Structures are given as C-alpha cells and as structure tokens.
C-alpha cells in the first residue's frame, strides 16, 4: 500500500497534460483502489500502484464472464472543489449485477470510499474546471479462483481505476456536432437476458455491430429490440432519447441498460422544465413522427442525432434547443456551475 505524495513547482497542481484536447482514451494514472472478497468478507487493500493483475488461470471471470463494470465521471467544479456524480447509483447498479451473476454485493460504503480514495490519490490528474475534460472512473468486479466448473466464484476482486478523458464522440456537444447512427441487424442482449446489467459479456458481442457501423461511416450502431426487431433499444453504450412534440420519450425495455444519465435527464426535464416525459416502447416507424433525437450516457453525455439509417431508409433530425437546455442543466449540476436541487453532487475531499 502506497501513500500518494506529490510535490509541485509553482502554483499549478496538475500534471502537464493537454486536458482540453483529450479524447476518450485510457491514460494510466499512478494509483488504483482495490478490495478483495474471501471467506465471506470484503477487505480493502486501499490504493495500490500496479496496473497489472495476477489471476488464477481457472478464474470464472476469464472463462464464464463472471464480471461487472461501471463508469462514472468526477469533475472539478466552478468552485474548485472536486465532485463525483451520483456514485451511489453506480454502486446500486453494480449490485443489481452482482445479484444476477451470483456474486457478493459490494457494500455501498466500500464502493463510495473506493471512488473517493482513488480520486484523491490521483488528484493532479483530475482535469481542471473549464477544460471540457473529466476524470472517468471505472469500477469493476471479477470472480476469481482455482476452478474449472461452471459455477460462481468464491473469491472476488473489486478494483477502481481512473483516467482523464475528453469527449466520447469526437467534437463533443454543440449545434454543429450531430452524429449519424446505423440501425444494426444484430442484437446486443437477449429479451430476458442480461442487457439490464453492466456485465462484460454484453459488450464483447457489440464489437462487430459497432465495427460494422463505423466501417460504414457511422458513429455507432443502434440496436432494435431483440425479439421483434421493431422497437428502438439503445445506441452503443448510450440510451436513446427523442422529442415528439412537447414530450421527451425514451424506450422502456428489460434489455436496455438503465442509464443514470438518462434517469437524471428525465428528472431535469420533468422537474426543472416541466416537460412531459414518457418511458415506453418506441416503434422504429415512429421515427417518422419525432422532432429530435439524442443518445445519452456518462461517456456520451448528450449527443444529438443528425441521422438514423436503416438499410435504404434514412431519417434526418435537426438540432433542438432543448438538448442544449438539458445539457446545460446536467453539466451545470455536475460541475457546480449551477445549484444542485436534487443533491446529486458528491464532494470528494
Ligand atoms: C449499454 C449502455 N447503455 C447506456 C449507458 C449509459 O449509462 P450511464 O448513463 O449510467 O452511463 C451505458 C454506459 O454505462 C451502456 O454501457
């Protein structure tokens, strides 16, 4: 266990990184947080330096995908303080996954403590306010052990690494930053499978659809419901939102990952702007009737959709000022540029 200590020349307490021009790439930071589960007890190892992990070859995470991950962001606020955004929601979602893959839950206190410790240990890597970048926090959870049978592990590692990131889709948010997406013929999740939890297996199977979409010149793949291929599900690692008239609509499906960004945006729409909100099935044919569309998620924030292409058919959408309002409210709350009426900011100190 290492006690992080930094010394600075002058007033700049940040590493010498071009924060304003970062992409969404892995840039290793010096420290990660780790806890291990053995004999029914979680034990925090605290902040560690090694990026490499040594695992028994029979580990369930390697053979049977007994694995979960999370993604969230830490921002430097306008007030110079450092804030995570709703980390308890990520802890709850990870534990929904843990119950499904038959592993032990990570106590919320341990999860939050890990986010705090890893952020504090890597403070010079937290992008400054106004840089447009943030610290991406990646908690993950793996089943390990000497094993060969198809069964849940009895030992687990919970680890969190961080990396400073810029926008997920190049260009970030703006009226001239609409992206095009391709409806995929493939599925990322089964109708009553694991689409609703953040298990690694849901992502390996999205590599081909994503690669096909990118090769054809699109930003990402859009998935339809896996049963009828009729209803819109989600977009790569982001949820789908649209305005139909005055109403903000979003798909309601068991195989969609319940996005914390989406939940936050729906609450902002309802409670700050008094816009009607509907979570319901959205038939692909309904794209003819919608006024504006967007993808949302921790990484994508809000990315508005310029075009959806499905074989021969193309739908085009304009930028809608309401995306700007939602973006300003969400990012304003995350970065303490505005008040936080919902208590979503979690200060790290
Ligand atoms: C498949 C999928 N959908 C949606 C999201 C967006 O979720 P959140 O807003 O919690 O980041 C993610 C990212 O976590 C994802 O992987």
């Amino acid at each position: 266990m290492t006690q992080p200590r930094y010394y600075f020349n002058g007033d700049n307490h940040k590493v010498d990184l071009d924060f304003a021009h970062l992409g969404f790439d892995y840039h290793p930071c010096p420290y990660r947080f780790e806890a291990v589960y053995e004999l029914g007890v979680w034990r925090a190892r605290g902040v560690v330096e090694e990026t490499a992990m040594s695992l028994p070859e029979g580990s369930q995470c390697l053979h049977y995908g007994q694995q979960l991950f999370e993604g969230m962001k830490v921002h430097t606020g306008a007030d110079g303080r450092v804030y995570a955004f709703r980390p308890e929601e990520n802890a709850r979602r990870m534990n929904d996954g843990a119950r499904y893959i038959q592993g032990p839950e990570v106590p919320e206190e341990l999860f939050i403590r890990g986010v705090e410790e890893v952020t504090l240990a890597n403070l010079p890597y937290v992008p400054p306010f106004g840089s447009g970048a943030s610290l991406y926090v990646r908690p993950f959870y793996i089943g390990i052990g000497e094993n060969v049978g198809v069964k849940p592990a009895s030992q687990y590692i919970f680890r969190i690494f961080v990396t400073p990131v810029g926008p997920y889709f190049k260009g970030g948010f703006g009226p001239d930053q609409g992206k095009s997406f391709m409806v995929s013929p493939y599925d990322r999740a089964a109708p009553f499978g694991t689409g609703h939890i953040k298990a690694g297996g849901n992502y390996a199977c999205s590599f081909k659809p994503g690669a096909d979409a990118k090769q054809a010149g699109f930003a990402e793949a859009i998935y339809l419901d896996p049963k009828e291929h009729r209803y819109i599900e989600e977009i790569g690692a982001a949820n789908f939102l649209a305005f139909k008239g005055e109403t903000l609509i979003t798909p309601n499906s068991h195989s969609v990952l319940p996005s914390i960004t989406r939940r936050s945006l729906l609450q902002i729409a309802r409670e700050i702007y008094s816009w009607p909100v509907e979570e319901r099935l959205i038939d692909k044919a309904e794209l003819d009737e919608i006024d504006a569309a967007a993808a949302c998620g921790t990484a994508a924030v809000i990315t508005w959709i310029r075009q959806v292409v499905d074989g021969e058919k193309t739908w085009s959408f304009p930028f809608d000022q309401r995306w700007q309002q939602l973006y300003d409210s969400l990012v304003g709350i995350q970065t303490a540029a505005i008040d936080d009426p919902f208590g979503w900011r979690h200060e790290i100190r």
Side-chain angles (χ1 to χ4, degrees), residues 69-72 90 93 136 188 195 198 202-203 234-239 256-263 296-299:
F69 70 103
E70 273 300 327
M72 73 182 87
N90 296 87
R93 188 167 65 187
Y136 182 75
R188 70 174 281 279
K198 215 162 156 60
N202 294 334
Y203 293 82
E234 55 185 332
I235 306 173
N239 278 181
V256 164
L257 188 81
S259 154
I260 295 160
T261 312
R262 173 174 74 164
R263 202 174 324 143
C296 74
T298 296

Side-chain angles (χ1 to χ4, degrees), residues 170-179 304 306 319 324:
K170 205 164 172 279
F173 182 78
D176 57 346
Q177 291 297 337
K179 303 285 184 277
W304 70 275
R306 183 188 296 284
F319 177 69
Q324 186 77 54

Side-chain angles (χ1 to χ4, degrees), residues 13-332:
H13 290 190
K14 294 292 168 194
V15 288
D16 199 5
L17 264 179
D18 187 4
F19 288 110
H21 295 101
L22 291 176
F24 197 88
D25 301 309
Y26 175 66
H27 183 102
C29 288
Y31 299 105
R32 49 279 307 131
F33 177 87
E34 191 171 277
V36 294
Y37 180 89
E38 217 170 8
L39 298 174
V41 175
W42 283 104
R43 172 170 54 85
R45 290 185 65 212
V47 159
V48 298
E49 280 194 63
E50 318 83 66
T51 63
M53 301 174 76
S54 171
L55 307 179
E57 63 189 7
S59 289
Q60 278 83 342
C61 63
L62 299 176
H63 301 264
Y64 310 125
Q66 201 192 17
Q67 183 273 3
L68 300 164
F69 70 103
E70 273 300 327
M72 73 182 87
K73 279 179 178 168
V74 162
H75 293 89
T76 303
D79 54 6
R81 299 175 185 207
V82 174
Y83 297 101
F85 183 69
R86 310 188 75 178
E88 67 288 349
E89 293 297 327
N90 296 87
R92 285 172 201 154
R93 188 167 65 187
M94 177 167 268
N95 284 332
D96 288 344
R99 287 192 294 277
Y100 197 95
I101 66 168
Q102 297 284 292
E105 293 185 22
V106 175
E108 207 169 295
E109 185 190 348
L110 169 61
F111 189 102
I112 305 280
R113 172 111 185 246
V115 172
E116 291 172 346
E117 284 194 23
V118 73
T119 302
L120 290 172
N122 294 291
L123 218 45
Y125 291 77
V126 180
F129 177 74
S131 64
S134 54
L135 190 75
Y136 182 75
V137 179
R138 166 54 60 87
F140 66 101
Y141 171 108
I142 56 177
I144 61 164
E146 303 287 0
N147 175 71
V148 74
V150 182
K151 61 175 186 295
S154 50
Q155 290 165 292
Y156 293 81
I157 294 176
F158 169 61
R159 189 184 253 242
I160 311 176
F161 72 74
V162 294
T163 184
V165 294
Y168 187 67
F169 291 116
K170 205 164 172 279
F173 182 78
D176 57 346
Q177 291 297 337
K179 303 285 184 277
S180 296
F181 297 93
M182 182 185 103
V183 174
S184 178
Y186 303 109
D187 301 321
R188 70 174 281 279
F192 298 103
T194 55
H196 64 297
I197 62 168
K198 215 162 156 60
N202 294 334
Y203 293 82
C205 60
S206 73
F207 291 171
K208 177 175 168 49
D212 286 358
K214 283 170 199 155
Q215 215 159 27
F218 297 94
E220 250 301 349
I222 296 193
Y223 297 99
L224 299 177
D225 78 276
K227 193 166 172 210
E228 296 182 74
H229 279 204
R230 175 174 167 188
Y231 302 103
I232 295 176
E233 290 259 301
E234 55 185 332
I235 306 173
N239 278 181
F240 178 81
L241 296 171
F243 280 107
K244 187 174 180 184
E246 299 203 326
T247 307
L248 182 61
I249 61 174
T250 188
N252 174 11
S253 159
H254 176 75
S255 40
V256 164
L257 188 81
S259 154
I260 295 160
T261 312
R262 173 174 74 164
R263 202 174 324 143
S264 308
L265 290 171
L266 296 186
Q267 198 167 341
I268 289 169
R270 263 191 307 257
E271 296 184 29
I272 297 186
Y273 295 110
S274 305
W275 296 333
V277 165
E278 287 176 7
E279 290 181 67
R280 61 168 172 79
L281 295 178
I282 302 177
D283 197 309
K284 186 176 65 171
E286 209 179 335
L287 290 176
D288 287 340
E289 297 160 30
I290 69 167
D291 300 297
C296 74
T298 296
V301 194
I302 299 177
T303 300
W304 70 275
I305 300 176
R306 183 188 296 284
Q307 212 174 41
V308 174
V309 175
D310 182 21
E312 300 293 293
K313 177 112 175 107
T314 298
W315 291 269
S316 295
F317 304 105
F319 177 69
D320 191 302
Q321 194 53 34
R322 290 172 290 185
W323 299 133
Q324 186 77 54
Q325 289 173 267
L326 288 172
Y327 181 91
D328 290 345
S329 298
L330 177 72
V331 177

